[in-house]
Amino acid sequence: MESKKATKVLKNVKVPFYDEINHDLQVYIQKKIFPEYAKNDWGHHLAHIYYVLRRSFQFAKTCPDLNLDIVYTVAAYHDLGHHIDAKHHEEISAKMVLEDKVLPEFFSTKDLQTISEAVADHRSTLKGEPRSIYGKIVSTADRNIDIDTMLHRTYTYRLRNFGEPNLEAIITESRRHLINKYGKNGYALTKSYFPDLSYRRALHELQKLTDNPAEFRQRYVSVNHLERALNLESEYASYIQRVSPKLVTYITDHIFPEYLKNDKAHQVFHIREVIRRSFALNDTFKLSLDPDLIYVSAAYHDFNKYLDAEHHELIAAEKFLNDSFMSSYFNQTKRRSIFEAIADHRSSQAHPPRSEYGRLLSSADRNTSITQVFVRSFFVGQDRQPDARVSDFLNYTFERLKKRYTIEHSENFFYTDPEYLNFLTEIRTLLENRPEFNTRYCEVNDINSLNSRLIEEPGIDISPVVFI
């Protein structure tokens, strides 16, 4: 069955020649290929593919005797492997074309080679020109002509690909990248092979923006809605100053990178938020707990969750206990406190945490905003129920959250501060209004259709806007 979502979007953008493309080819790509783009970062999601499709046909219209099925397929596949290896995604995507078992039903061996080469040649970082007119079309079509989109793409790419996030570093690095790529001597300036006035105008505007660091930072923060996140990151950084630098370096270099293996709801952003909340609660309730123990307990609490979500607290606790660096750093008493805190952090466990550190971590691990709850539940659903219909998943999520947050089914919480109480009031009010719940959930996660499978909806990017 053809993907209704893909068809709807393609028709909305009025792709030229759409009716001239092989219908069965369209059905296959929309059903089997387009959903894979949900795995990419925002800048390489399906919306970007539709953009490149539209512009590809805009340029193809000026060239006689082209195979429009090839134009369509090159655009459809050009970023397919981005989530596997962003730095070499053109090579991976080109290989995926040749390994596709269905495409030979539509193309000759020679045509498949042309498609693969065009995909491999599309990046502006590559030296030399694309080997065919199809490569030149997709390379030109792949250039952004909207400044705010450029700023958001650089942000989301760095969130996905550069380890522990630091917003100030991301802003600085994004400006440097855009100057290197689109500045007066940028490597992308010569990678447009068709007349494109919109692109030239965008380059002029971007060069003016990147020439002014203060103006660039202001617009970058505004476009990516980072105002609150920057304030909270500053708070997070102030807490980390209390922790041994040796511990912070080890956790940053050896533990945080492992969180990329978890589902999106349990990666580094969540861990950083739990660290922030742990220190905030420690201060609010004047617990005077050891900063090193607070930090390590929170940093480890969902470690290797991807191995077994149902028993992840025990896996994480054992991983900590068997960490040779931690064994050399902490004495046996402190290691036992951290071990117990990690093992006791889940709200679903029957017995209360055995220590003050466990109660603190358990409380810090609770969501404190509607956005957090909805985004995290969506990505957990994608990870565990990818083929579930959105409508069915909404029913399941509504009932699950009622059991967790209503007065009759309150979750365990040991240090209740105003941030959590305000959230609790808001979500309980929402759980009394089912239509409003559905509307808000779909708005937060940018869901387009209740009939889609979860895997067909990309959702929004996990970022500090959501978690800190």
Side-chain angles (χ1 to χ4, degrees):
M1 187 174 117
E2 186 175 0
S3 167
K4 294 180 180 178
K5 178 183 173 184
T7 302
K8 175 186 71 175
V9 177
L10 281 172
K11 287 182 177 178
N12 284 346
V13 298
K14 296 183 172 63
V15 177
F17 309 122
Y18 184 72
D19 293 335
E20 298 180 36
I21 303 167
N22 183 299
H23 175 74
D24 291 337
L25 175 65
Q26 292 180 57
V27 171
Y28 168 66
I29 287 178
Q30 290 171 8
K31 183 177 180 181
K32 296 297 184 181
I33 303 305
F34 284 165
E36 291 296 301
Y37 279 96
K39 300 175 183 178
N40 288 354
D41 65 78
W42 176 87
H44 300 86
H45 269 175
L46 196 52
H48 172 64
I49 304 307
Y50 295 145
Y51 168 82
V52 174
L53 267 172
R54 184 177 72 249
R55 280 170 51 84
S56 291
F57 282 109
Q58 172 189 329
F59 301 126
K61 189 176 181 180
T62 66
C63 303
D65 303 322
L66 290 184
N67 184 327
L68 298 179
D69 288 352
I70 292 180
V71 175
Y72 177 82
T73 306
V74 170
Y77 278 75
H78 83 279
D79 281 341
L80 188 58
H82 198 279
H83 66 281
I84 299 173
D85 182 355
K87 292 183 178 180
H88 305 95
H89 74 274
E90 75 284 0
E91 299 172 12
I92 293 173
S93 301
K95 186 178 179 182
M96 293 170 82
V97 169
L98 297 178
E99 292 177 345
D100 193 300
K101 303 298 184 184
V102 177
L103 286 182
E105 297 178 13
F106 303 102
F107 299 104
S108 68
T109 301
K110 182 179 178 181
D111 285 343
L112 287 173
Q113 188 63 37
T114 298
I115 294 169
S116 178
E117 289 177 354
V119 170
D121 294 346
H122 81 271
R123 292 189 69 182
S124 59
T125 53
L126 301 178
K127 295 180 179 179
E129 294 188 0
R131 285 165 279 186
S132 72
I133 187 64
Y134 299 102
K136 291 180 178 179
I137 286 173
V138 73
S139 182
T140 306
D142 197 34
R143 307 290 153 249
N144 280 300
I145 58 175
D146 180 79
I147 301 301
D148 288 351
T149 299
M150 292 182 187
L151 299 183
H152 192 47
R153 289 189 80 196
T154 62
Y155 171 62
T156 56
Y157 176 81
R158 277 149 187 77
L159 290 181
R160 179 74 70 93
N161 296 289
F162 285 88
E164 185 188 9
N166 177 295
L167 293 181
E168 291 295 350
I170 285 175
I171 294 170
T172 300
E173 162 59 20
S174 294
R175 177 172 170 266
R176 186 205 62 77
H177 164 74
L178 290 171
I179 291 173
N180 189 38
K181 185 173 183 178
Y182 298 112
K184 294 179 176 60
N185 298 307
Y187 61 81
L189 295 184
T190 61
K191 298 297 182 177
S192 184
Y193 302 98
F194 293 84
D196 193 350
L197 182 59
S198 296
Y199 182 59
R200 292 204 302 271
R201 288 171 177 166
L203 288 180
H204 178 70
E205 182 183 349
L206 183 64
Q207 287 167 359
K208 286 178 57 180
L209 185 65
T210 54
D211 282 345
N212 187 325
E215 185 178 342
F216 177 88
R217 186 183 187 280
Q218 182 179 17
R219 185 160 175 182
Y220 192 95
V221 169
S222 176
V223 165
N224 293 301
H225 310 293
L226 296 178
E227 294 85 355
R228 178 176 179 271
L230 282 165
N231 290 334
L232 293 181
E233 184 170 86
S234 177
E235 179 186 333
Y236 174 88
S238 70
Y239 292 142
I240 299 305
Q241 293 298 314
R242 307 178 190 177
V243 182
S244 161
K246 188 176 180 180
L247 273 178
V248 173
T249 298
Y250 178 78
I251 292 291
T252 301
D253 292 346
H254 298 281
I255 304 305
F256 283 167
E258 288 293 302
Y259 277 99
L260 288 171
K261 299 176 183 177
N262 285 356
D263 66 80
K264 291 181 182 179
H266 296 90
Q267 293 188 1
V268 174
F269 287 119
H270 170 61
I271 304 308
R272 283 164 57 92
E273 172 63 356
V274 174
I275 291 171
R276 184 190 73 82
R277 287 284 292 156
S278 293
F279 278 99
L281 292 173
N282 180 58
D283 287 359
T284 298
F285 292 93
K286 297 179 170 58
L287 302 178
S288 300
L289 299 180
D290 186 323
D292 287 356
L293 272 66
I294 293 174
Y295 177 74
V296 173
S297 299
Y300 252 95
H301 83 280
D302 282 340
F303 190 64
N304 283 176
K305 183 177 171 53
Y306 72 95
L307 294 174
D308 183 354
E310 292 305 314
H311 305 94
H312 74 273
E313 73 282 8
L314 302 178
I315 292 174
E318 287 293 333
K319 291 285 186 181
F320 164 78
L321 208 57
N322 294 326
D323 188 311
S324 58
F325 175 87
M326 295 298 171
S327 297
S328 66
Y329 191 89
F330 293 109
N331 63 34
Q332 186 172 354
T333 300
K334 290 184 176 181
R335 286 174 65 222
R336 174 54 57 178
S337 294
I338 297 171
F339 172 86
E340 290 179 352
I342 296 169
D344 295 347
H345 79 268
R346 295 186 69 180
S347 63
S348 58
Q349 69 177 19
H351 63 84
R354 287 165 279 185
S355 71
E356 204 80 81
Y357 289 99
R359 288 188 284 275
L360 177 68
L361 177 58
S362 182
S363 299
D365 193 35
R366 306 295 160 250
N367 294 303
T368 56
S369 79
I370 298 291
T371 300
Q372 281 181 0
V373 173
F374 285 1
V375 172
R376 295 187 72 210
S377 75
F378 175 81
F379 282 117
V380 169
Q382 269 199 334
D383 186 61
R384 301 183 190 177
Q385 308 173 49
D387 292 322
R389 292 290 169 189
V390 170
S391 56
D392 295 333
F393 185 70
L394 275 173
N395 293 334
Y396 163 79
T397 301
F398 182 81
E399 295 301 325
R400 184 176 63 82
L401 294 181
K402 280 182 64 176
K403 291 180 180 178
R404 184 169 186 174
Y405 290 118
T406 55
I407 295 176
E408 297 81 7
H409 303 93
S410 298
E411 65 177 352
N412 293 329
F413 204 94
F414 305 97
Y415 298 108
T416 307
D417 66 338
E419 187 174 346
Y420 181 75
L421 286 174
N422 290 337
F423 156 71
L424 206 57
T425 298
E426 184 180 4
I427 196 166
R428 284 174 175 171
T429 300
L430 194 59
L431 288 169
E432 292 175 357
N433 187 330
R434 181 59 183 277
E436 178 62 23
F437 175 91
N438 287 357
T439 299
R440 181 88 174 269
Y441 193 95
C442 291
E443 287 176 350
V444 165
N445 286 298
D446 197 21
I447 291 171
N448 293 306
S449 172
L450 295 179
N451 294 320
S452 297
R453 295 179 300 147
L454 289 182
I455 196 62
E456 294 176 313
E457 294 284 349
I460 66 170
D461 276 287
I462 299 292
S463 77
V465 175
V466 177
F467 287 111
I468 69 169

